[in-house]
Amino acid sequence: KTPRKIQVYNLNSATRDQLVLIPHIDYEIASNIIEERTLREGFLNIEDLTKVEQFPVKKIEIIKLYLSL
């Protein structure tokens, strides 16, 4: 079987609707990501997501597959 192609989103420009398409991210976490992104004027690396309120830190390895900077 051929693996399914993963849609990759830019962490610093993805909309809330795009973020919720990523496994383990719901609307509340997506809103928190956008709020943190606005306060920081963008993320410098994907590991900064661990500082976002309610972010599922244990799932970051899966979530990183769907994000770029």
Side-chain angles (χ1 to χ4, degrees):
K1 292 172 87 174
T2 305
R4 191 176 67 192
K5 182 163 173 33
I6 293 177
Q7 175 66 47
V8 178
Y9 301 99
N10 185 306
L11 179 58
N12 288 321
S13 63
T15 65
R16 182 179 297 111
D17 290 337
Q18 290 173 325
L19 289 172
V20 297
L21 298 174
I22 298 171
H24 309 294
I25 295 183
D26 60 19
Y27 273 98
E28 190 170 346
I29 296 170
S31 294
N32 292 343
I33 290 170
I34 291 172
E35 183 178 329
E36 188 75 21
R37 178 175 76 195
T38 303
L39 291 173
R40 294 172 168 269
E41 297 178 4
F43 290 102
L44 298 178
N45 60 55
I46 294 185
E47 283 70 28
D48 286 344
L49 284 173
T50 59
K51 298 173 184 148
V52 173
E53 187 177 336
Q54 298 180 339
F55 185 80
V57 177
K58 293 180 179 176
K59 307 287 186 185
I60 192 162
E61 291 304 316
I62 296 168
I63 294 169
K64 280 172 33 174
L65 298 172
Y66 294 84
L67 294 171
S68 68
L69 285 176

